[in-house]
Amino acid sequence: MIEAEATAATRANRAQRVMLRTDGTADVSAEALSVLATVPHWWKRRAEAAGASSPQTFDFDDVMAFPKSFERDDLVGLPIREDLLDASPEELADAYVVALDGAVRTAEGRHYTPAPLAEILYRQAAEALGRRPDGLIWDPACGAGMLLLPALRAWIADRSGAQPEMVLRAAQSAVGGRDLDAFAVWLGNALLAAELLPTWAKIPLSRRKPLPAFLEVGDGLTPPPAPPAIVILNPPYGRVRLSDADRQHWQHVVYGHANRYGLFMAAAVEHLAEGGVASALVPAGWLGGSYFQRLRSYLSATAPLNRLSYVSDRTGVFSTGVLQETVLATFRKGKAVRSVTCGRVTINGRVVEEEIGNGRLPVAADQPWLLPRRHEDPPLVRAAQKMGKRLADYGWSISTGPLVWNRRKDQLSGTPSDVSVKIVWAADLDGGKLHQDPARDRLRYLHLGEKDRVLVLDRPAVLVQRTTAPEQARRLLAAALDAETLSRWGGRVSVENHVNVLTCSEQDSLLTPRLLTALLDSEVLDRLYRCLTGSVAVSAYELAALPLPGPKTLKSWALLSDDHLSVEINRVYGLNP
């Protein structure tokens, strides 16, 4: 989903989700239309339950002040979903997005938020604001508006004693949202307006006016009707190509590839009222990835991170199969602080929220943000943040293994030749040692051509797998390709491109291959790496950002045995044995 490209039409405009057609139903599946066709029948039951129904007010269209986003005639005669007639608003919204064609969801990075996360997101935003919201609560990528549901319900509850007509007049300026999907906007307006039915029922029939439309069709990256007190968002995900004009517009937050959700985060804090709060449910990759370095700088300067909650057990949490690691991130505009409250949210049958501790943003905000993820992490993070050295300070550089094997299939085999070298595969790395995985032996050798010298590594290095998942026991899987190992593998190898290759340009570097391998293979560095990344990719950029001890410490480590070295690494990084 993150790799999905926008369509050609979207590339020419401001980058965000692909727009569903508003002049027909060609882009909406029959199953999704069936969900929409159910809404008037669902509405009738809600009106009856609220005591707002009468022969004059059963007509759904007569009581809704909706823009004509599409022709309702398209729904006439379609089968309805009997199982949704008594559904909650959240269940109806979820049913709509699940019913969309999978290709549409993937291309647009579309998904809806589980109700427990929506509630937590709004509560954290309200807590960060520190007062009762007295301005607009806005969702710039609202879909069917379910992120706004907790805010609207809280707003209505706060005014339970107010005159019903005054509540209805004020409601439309209290919450609002925007989305390119006209069908989702129509659905969301119905679902949100249904929350006002009990209030609407208290108004005499002769004075009842149509219920308000909270959501509108449009570009969520443009300014809302008024600077919001709170922005809540679960934006579309996925890389997009920017036109030259749009790249110029977003250059302050885009470095290299642009991602939809990064643009939405930047726009959200830009449009906030001073002192306002933005809370976003987003992938965790922006915390450390190189493509987000300008975004981190902008957020830190404009609306510093106030709270960060990691979402555990993400598989199955999102109805549309979102698998990337996610976080709840809350920002406060104009409040220049570096302290961040860190926590974790687990949804596995029930919602569990836990506090982890406080973290601090780096002074150089463009660098990966090192923040604790578990209860045991704060001491480790504090110790690491005092370390000023990095790999480059000891002469180490990082590159990607140059062999893209599927482009060289005709040069691979399971038997050696006079012009072949052994291939180091990602599966050969683990436990600090390089081993020969039997599963890769049928493609163990690369037969070199005259111009293939660039594919050969003939000096010692430290190798690290480039892709690991947060669920794995280890994120850092490293192995030493020291002189002895290199000789055993034939004196030269070719490293495939799922492996990071770390080499040192300084012959007398204090950070020897042995010490570096021991560090990368330690529990403490693995935990530290998890604290600065949110991506499955083990990138050169994030490896280069790992805090390392100073020269004095490395000198003292040089003479230690492997067992004593492991103990000292833990001690220096503040991890108690």
Side-chain angles (χ1 to χ4, degrees):
M1 185 172 296
I2 281 185
E3 300 300 324
E5 297 287 346
T7 65
T10 304
R11 290 169 185 166
N13 299 306
R14 180 157 298 159
Q16 64 162 342
R17 72 178 66 184
V18 178
M19 182 176 179
L20 289 178
R21 290 173 56 180
T22 59
D23 58 351
T25 58
D27 294 315
V28 179
S29 67
E31 291 80 5
L33 289 174
S34 183
V35 174
L36 298 177
T38 306
V39 172
H41 306 273
W42 173 87
W43 174 273
K44 180 178 178 179
R45 291 198 180 189
R46 299 282 288 201
E48 290 174 340
S53 62
S54 71
Q56 295 88 350
T57 59
F58 268 148
D59 192 324
F60 179 68
D61 289 316
D62 288 345
V63 299
M64 305 302 296
F66 291 172
K68 298 299 182 183
S69 301
F70 63 94
E71 291 298 328
R72 278 279 314 287
D73 290 345
D74 291 327
L75 305 181
V76 175
L78 289 177
I80 67 170
R81 290 274 302 270
E82 297 283 348
D83 60 311
L84 295 176
L85 289 175
D86 293 309
S88 68
E90 295 91 341
E91 289 169 338
L92 259 174
D94 183 69
Y96 170 73
V97 76
V98 169
L100 289 173
D101 184 84
V104 172
R105 296 200 310 263
T106 299
E108 300 173 18
R110 297 182 50 144
H111 46 272
Y112 284 135
T113 311
L117 289 183
E119 293 168 1
I120 294 170
L121 198 62
Y122 174 66
R123 178 170 49 76
Q124 290 187 354
E127 290 174 355
L129 190 65
R131 54 179 170 78
R132 178 176 168 176
D134 55 1
L136 177 65
I137 301 171
W138 181 254
D139 183 351
C142 63
M146 291 302 93
L147 278 188
L148 294 169
L149 199 57
L152 180 60
R153 285 171 174 166
W155 186 90
I156 294 171
D158 286 343
R159 288 153 182 81
S160 58
Q163 294 183 3
E165 288 169 288
M166 293 181 61
V167 171
L168 290 178
R169 282 197 298 270
Q172 191 166 8
S173 60
V175 301
R178 189 178 289 153
D179 200 277
L180 287 177
D181 179 356
F183 298 94
V185 166
W186 180 85
L187 172 62
N189 273 324
L191 300 180
L192 292 172
E195 297 297 313
L196 291 171
L197 280 171
T199 304
W200 194 67
K202 297 175 183 177
I203 301 173
L205 187 60
S206 62
R207 298 210 305 266
R208 288 181 188 172
K209 296 181 179 179
L211 291 166
F214 294 101
L215 313 180
E216 62 188 39
V217 178
D219 181 356
L221 295 174
T222 58
I230 291 177
V231 173
I232 305 173
L233 68 158
N234 184 356
Y237 305 169
R239 287 183 184 176
V240 287
R241 295 185 187 275
L242 299 179
S243 67
D244 291 342
D246 279 336
R247 184 163 288 278
Q248 179 70 21
H249 177 82
W250 295 107
Q251 64 176 336
H252 62 297
V253 294
V254 171
Y255 179 87
H257 294 301
N259 195 298
R260 290 178 176 95
Y261 79 83
L263 303 184
F264 271 87
M265 291 172 71
V269 302
E270 176 187 351
H271 299 149
L272 274 176
E274 191 66 20
V277 170
S279 283
L281 177 60
V282 286
W286 65 276
L287 290 165
S290 62
Y291 295 139
F292 297 96
Q293 54 187 274
R294 289 181 180 172
L295 177 65
R296 287 192 294 271
S297 290
Y298 176 74
L299 293 173
S300 182
T302 306
L305 184 64
N306 176 274
R307 182 183 183 91
L308 187 74
S309 296
Y310 299 94
V311 180
S312 301
D313 301 322
R314 68 191 189 280
T315 302
V317 169
F318 292 88
S319 59
T320 53
V322 175
L323 294 181
Q324 57 263 51
E325 190 173 17
T326 50
V327 294
L328 304 173
T330 300
F331 307 87
R332 179 84 180 269
K333 188 165 185 176
K335 192 172 183 180
V337 295
R338 291 177 58 202
S339 180
V340 179
T341 301
C342 297
R344 183 169 292 279
V345 176
T346 303
I347 302 180
N348 188 9
R350 64 190 183 95
V351 179
V352 177
E353 294 183 75
E354 54 181 332
E355 296 291 322
I356 292 174
N358 291 330
R360 289 183 65 81
L361 300 181
V363 175
D366 62 323
Q367 293 299 303
W369 290 358
L370 187 60
L371 297 168
R373 288 187 169 231
R374 303 192 307 185
H375 291 293
E376 312 93 290
D377 288 342
L380 166 64
V381 170
R382 286 194 295 270
Q385 286 176 332
K386 296 176 182 178
M387 298 180 183
K389 296 297 184 181
R390 302 293 184 268
L391 283 169
D393 296 314
Y394 293 111
W396 287 87
S397 59
I398 309 169
S399 61
T400 299
L403 176 61
V404 183
W405 71 272
N406 56 1
R407 298 178 185 174
R408 305 265 181 174
K409 291 181 180 180
D410 59 340
Q411 296 177 246
L412 307 183
S413 77
T415 56
S417 70
D418 293 340
V419 292
S420 67
V421 293
K422 272 188 174 181
I423 299 172
V424 176
W425 296 91
D428 297 330
L429 280 61
D430 198 4
K433 303 291 184 181
L434 190 63
H435 65 277
Q436 191 167 313
D437 187 347
R440 294 295 185 181
D441 282 347
R442 67 183 184 86
L443 296 176
R444 179 56 63 185
Y445 295 93
L446 171 68
H447 301 283
L448 299 172
E450 293 182 1
K451 298 180 180 180
D452 291 339
R453 180 66 185 84
V454 294
L455 301 178
V456 175
L457 176 67
D458 58 4
R459 60 182 176 129
V462 175
L463 308 177
V464 181
Q465 279 193 19
R466 285 186 62 217
T467 304
T468 57
E471 290 81 9
Q472 290 182 219
R474 290 192 58 82
R475 291 299 315 275
L476 296 180
L477 296 174
L481 185 68
D482 53 25
E484 180 182 345
T485 303
L486 185 61
S487 176
R488 193 166 61 249
W489 279 60
R492 55 182 190 157
V493 296
S494 185
V495 182
E496 65 117 348
N497 71 320
H498 289 93
V499 177
N500 288 301
V501 180
L502 285 66
T503 55
C504 188
S505 60
E506 297 180 10
Q507 186 174 358
D508 298 323
S509 174
L510 292 174
L511 185 60
T512 62
R514 171 180 175 259
L515 292 184
L516 178 54
T517 303
L519 276 166
L520 294 174
D521 195 48
S522 67
E523 176 191 352
V524 69
L525 259 291
D526 191 78
R527 280 177 50 186
L528 197 62
Y529 183 78
R530 291 174 186 267
C531 290
L532 59 72
T533 187
S535 171
V536 297
V538 179
S539 72
Y541 180 79
E542 290 167 323
L543 287 173
L546 282 169
L548 299 174
K552 184 177 179 180
T553 298
L554 295 185
K555 287 180 181 178
S556 70
W557 286 356
L559 301 178
L560 296 177
S561 66
D562 290 347
D563 289 341
H564 285 92
L565 177 57
S566 177
V567 172
E568 278 300 293
I569 289 174
N570 288 343
R571 184 188 65 79
V572 168
Y573 280 92
L575 182 64
N576 295 323

